[in-house]
Amino acid sequence: MRFKITIPNMSCQHCYQKIQKALAIPGVNTFEMDIPSKKGTLSFDDTIVNQENLTQSVADIGYHLDWGDQIE
């Protein structure tokens, strides 16, 4: 599954790296962000991990993950 995402309180490369590390878990395929717009994409294998797990992983390090539309 691949989704558009927004992380509104991400503001710099350091933030991006922290989030990238938090999402380095089994089932996550790709995480890409445009830091200035705070928008990106996240793809994952939903047989291994789900949106709730990913949202919590980001929340655990102090960031908020907003889910957008699924990308075909």
Side-chain angles (χ1 to χ4, degrees):
M1 303 185 87
R2 187 169 179 227
F3 286 87
K4 293 179 182 179
I5 61 169
T6 304
I7 303 178
N9 58 335
M10 182 187 74
S11 60
C12 65
Q13 184 67 29
H14 178 71
C15 299
Y16 171 80
Q17 291 170 341
K18 283 179 64 177
I19 296 165
Q20 185 176 42
K21 184 176 179 181
L23 293 174
I25 58 176
V28 174
N29 300 322
T30 61
F31 166 64
E32 299 171 342
M33 291 294 296
D34 176 66
I35 295 169
S37 71
K38 304 171 194 264
K39 296 181 185 295
T41 60
L42 180 59
S43 69
F44 59 95
D45 181 340
D46 67 339
T47 65
I48 299 172
V49 68
N50 61 39
Q51 286 179 293
E52 292 80 19
N53 300 136
L54 298 169
T55 300
Q56 189 60 52
S57 291
V58 173
D60 286 347
I61 59 165
Y63 295 91
H64 182 78
L65 173 58
D66 291 328
W67 294 92
D69 295 334
Q70 184 173 354
I71 303 169
E72 297 292 328

